[in-house]
Amino acid sequence: MSIQKPKGTQDLLPGEIEKWQYLESKARELCRKFNYREIRTPIFEHTELFQRGVGETTDIVEKEMYTFLDKGDRSLSLRPEGTAGVVRSYVENKLYGEPDVSKLYYVGPMFRYEQPQSGRYRQFHQFGIEAIGSVDPSLDAEVIALGYTFYKEIGLKDVTVEINSVGNPAVRAAYREHIQQFFAPVKDQLCKDCQSRYDRNPMRILDCKIDQKFCEGAPTIVEHLDEECRTHFALVQEYLTALDIPFRLNPRLVRGLDYYTHTAFEYKAAGIGAIDTIGGGGRYNGLVGQIGGNDEPGVGLGLGLERILLVLQAQGVEIPAAKPLDVYLIGLGEAAEKRIVGLLHELRLEGLTAEKDYQSRKMKAQMKSADRYNASYVAILGDNELEKGEISLKALATGEQETLPLADVARTLAARLHG
Ligand code: HAM
């Protein structure tokens, strides 16, 4: 039996990959304007990084990590998300205040052992940004605005931004008790996971699909914010309004990672069945310290690229497709066939996309290839033409034919097609 790809993974094939390249180039372009610079961190890290960073009691760390011992008996994990690795690298490489806030972005694969479904994979890709080094609420708004602008620029419609404040550690500790009190009477009726969350991470109960019926009327954290948190949250909203970013307050928004403080947000869009979250992020003022650095605040986001493509498809948004071939070269006769090897190279060096046949097929089959490549021109060189120093050219769209001097054909076509 042939070997197949692991469950929950995808092959990104030619034809599809152009869409990925398009999203990535849009992400890079946008980051340049917002002054974020690319960072590439390892795909695997010490398991402890995610335990400390993402949180021991989160689903991600408890159930979803690909963790293994390497030959040196070290526990390593494939990264389930990007923030912890970026923060580790920030601390390790002392990227403090370079030159002000460190503004970093990444695009790459993440790994979570989840039950695959449409929009949920075991290997998926995120475009993420992290801004480390400032508590300024305008930075929270900038991060939210960058994500929103990204969706907009690639043509995604009807994206909703939901925001909440999850407070600071003191507020959360007090809120935790309120939540426990609220769920205490129904504790035994909660699902198994939530019964254990009750003691270890009770806020996560609010996020449980199964136990939504028990969540009605639960106290929200925004009701319990202190002065510092309230002011920060109000300013974030003020800036979002100033930036013309529409948002909705969602006091029930709790994110699946433990590092968040203050602002938490998600982007929602319909089109992938039961899943509607296409991106999310928030502020993490304690994370740099937890990972062993100076106590520096941060804020960031992660957008799932698979989900974006699914929603684009559901909305019928066309993404610029693969560029067609400029020239398909056909050589007829022994000498001409040899000559087109060099000519093909010349065309390519002139910046044209050019191809020839490598199977010694008949002229008719080669014309078919040219069609399938959607070539703008077919250039045919016969031994006769070679002797005369000419080549004949056919524009496939119009059928128009012409003869050009062989010595100039590369330059002429480059000027014609690419100015
Ligand atoms: P997250 O909400 O866990 O946040 O993931 C961000 C996005 O990644 C999700 O909204 C979704 O689009 C995509 N995603 C997550 N899991 C899957 C999956 N199994 N299959 C397909 N797509 C998925 C984070 O990862 C944080 N690091 C974001 C962040 C950055 N917060 C601050 N900075």
Side-chain angles (χ1 to χ4, degrees), residues 257-326:
L257 305 97
D258 275 354
Y259 47 63
Y260 292 113
T261 58
H262 297 280
T263 319
F265 60 91
E266 280 182 349
Y267 302 97
K268 309 263 184 181
I272 341 178
I275 291 176
D276 64 354
T277 304
I278 55 172
R283 184 165 269 289
Y284 44 85
N285 288 354
L287 183 59
V288 180
Q290 265 161 32
I291 284 175
N294 299 338
D295 204 11
E296 297 260 7
V299 55
L301 59 68
L303 314 181
L305 296 182
E306 284 81 359
R307 292 188 186 176
I308 290 175
L309 287 169
L310 285 167
V311 177
L312 284 172
Q313 196 186 8
Q315 295 184 347
V317 180
E318 290 286 333
I319 287 186
K323 284 221 181 77
L325 213 59
D326 291 321

Side-chain angles (χ1 to χ4, degrees), residues 8 54 60 64 80-84 106 110-131 143 151 255-257 259-260 265-267 272 275-284 287 298-308:
V54 177
I60 294 179
E64 296 171 0
E81 59 99 53
T83 312
Y106 49 93
M110 309 290 160
F111 306 84
R112 295 184 195 175
Y113 190 81
E114 292 194 82
Q115 213 36 51
Q117 67 182 80
S118 176
R120 179 166 291 139
Y121 308 93
R122 290 183 174 172
Q123 175 171 340
F124 60 98
H125 299 76
Q126 278 184 359
F127 159 39
I129 67 170
E130 312 295 345
V143 167
Y151 293 129
R255 309 249 314 122
L257 305 97
Y259 47 63
Y260 292 113
F265 60 91
E266 280 182 349
Y267 302 97
I272 341 178
I275 291 176
D276 64 354
T277 304
I278 55 172
R283 184 165 269 289
Y284 44 85
L287 183 59
V299 55
L301 59 68
L303 314 181
L305 296 182
E306 284 81 359
R307 292 188 186 176
I308 290 175

